[in-house]
Amino acid sequence: MLQADAYAAFNALFDNGTIHEAACWAHARRKFHDLHAARVTPLTTEALRRIAELYVIEAEIRGKPPDERRQVRQARSRPLLDDLERWLRTTLETLSRKSDTAAAILYALKLWPALLRYCEDGAVEIDNSAAERALRGVAIGRRNYLFAGADSGGERAAAIYSLIGTAKLNGVDPEAWLRHVLTQIADHPVNQVDDFLPWNCNLPAAL
């Protein structure tokens, strides 16, 4: 399962069916939100209201075990989604296919099976906003990364990002962890390097 934002570069990953796409409801919502921000209409208001109902359910089950989240989504979210699909298809018939509103609806309908996938797997989120927040630092600094100098520089940057991300996922301050590792690793037995993994490393109190 891969949660993605309909970026065309990901399409080849889903071709043979080995990897299933879980689409992002935040991106589907954004199509209607942008139209709503430009000009409020009953249609955009209704679309945003319906999508908001899905997020209310997600707020209630955030942090719950995957099996419980799946059960709640099947019982409460899936009926709302089925009704939303019917409403979108009915509404589409009243619009010019060249309109921006039709484009927003067609975007959602094209991705509909993938937009439903979070209801099938409780480990999947309703959107990929968490991943995008995690990558915000990369996006902010990408102009600097044009000057990595070589492929090897990019590989080293990717390794550092992985180390920092792993530390964060384990509730460890990345700066403190890296400082500790770099000051201790030279005198540490090479066959015990696993001691420095974020989930094994006990940082000194001073850090």
Side-chain angles (χ1 to χ4, degrees):
M1 189 83 70
L2 174 65
Q3 190 148 35
D5 56 4
Y7 178 47
F10 294 129
N11 290 345
L13 297 174
F14 309 127
D15 284 347
N16 64 7
T18 303
I19 300 174
H20 296 289
E21 178 184 10
C24 172
W25 266 105
H27 283 80
R29 179 188 180 279
R30 189 174 303 157
K31 302 291 184 182
F32 295 102
H33 176 270
D34 290 348
L35 293 172
H36 192 75
R39 184 169 69 90
V40 176
T41 68
L43 195 154
T44 59
T45 301
E46 179 65 7
L48 292 175
R49 183 194 68 78
R50 287 171 176 266
I51 296 171
E53 290 182 332
L54 301 173
Y55 276 87
V56 168
I57 296 170
E58 290 305 299
E60 294 175 7
I61 61 175
R62 185 169 295 118
K64 301 292 185 181
D67 286 346
E68 182 177 341
R69 298 205 319 170
R70 181 184 179 279
Q71 290 174 5
V72 171
R73 288 167 175 172
Q74 288 290 325
R76 296 175 56 192
S77 301
R78 186 57 193 263
L80 293 177
L81 286 161
D82 290 342
D83 190 50
L84 174 56
E85 181 186 14
R86 286 190 292 269
W87 179 77
L88 289 173
R89 293 190 183 280
T90 300
T91 302
L92 183 62
E93 295 303 315
T94 69
L95 301 172
S96 166
R97 292 300 177 102
K98 296 181 179 180
S99 71
D100 291 337
T101 305
I105 293 176
L106 288 169
Y107 175 90
L109 292 177
K110 180 180 178 181
L111 294 171
W112 200 254
L115 285 169
L116 294 180
R117 199 145 280 137
Y118 84 102
C119 287
E120 302 168 7
D121 188 336
V124 176
E125 297 296 332
I126 191 173
D127 58 41
N128 65 348
S129 296
E132 292 199 350
R133 285 194 297 270
L135 288 171
R136 189 166 294 159
V138 177
I140 291 172
R142 61 187 165 195
R143 285 194 177 185
N144 294 330
Y145 310 144
L146 293 173
F147 305 100
D151 288 349
S152 58
E155 290 169 0
R156 292 188 185 99
I160 291 295
Y161 273 120
S162 296
L163 291 171
I164 291 172
T166 301
K168 287 181 177 180
L169 286 171
N170 284 273
V172 175
D173 178 358
E175 182 181 357
W177 175 69
L178 285 170
R179 188 187 308 121
H180 173 68
V181 172
L182 292 174
T183 56
Q184 301 293 324
I185 197 168
D187 299 321
H188 198 77
V190 68
N191 62 345
Q192 297 177 31
V193 72
D194 285 1
D195 293 344
F196 289 121
L197 292 171
W199 53 87
N200 291 333
C201 188
N202 293 316
L203 295 178
L207 297 178

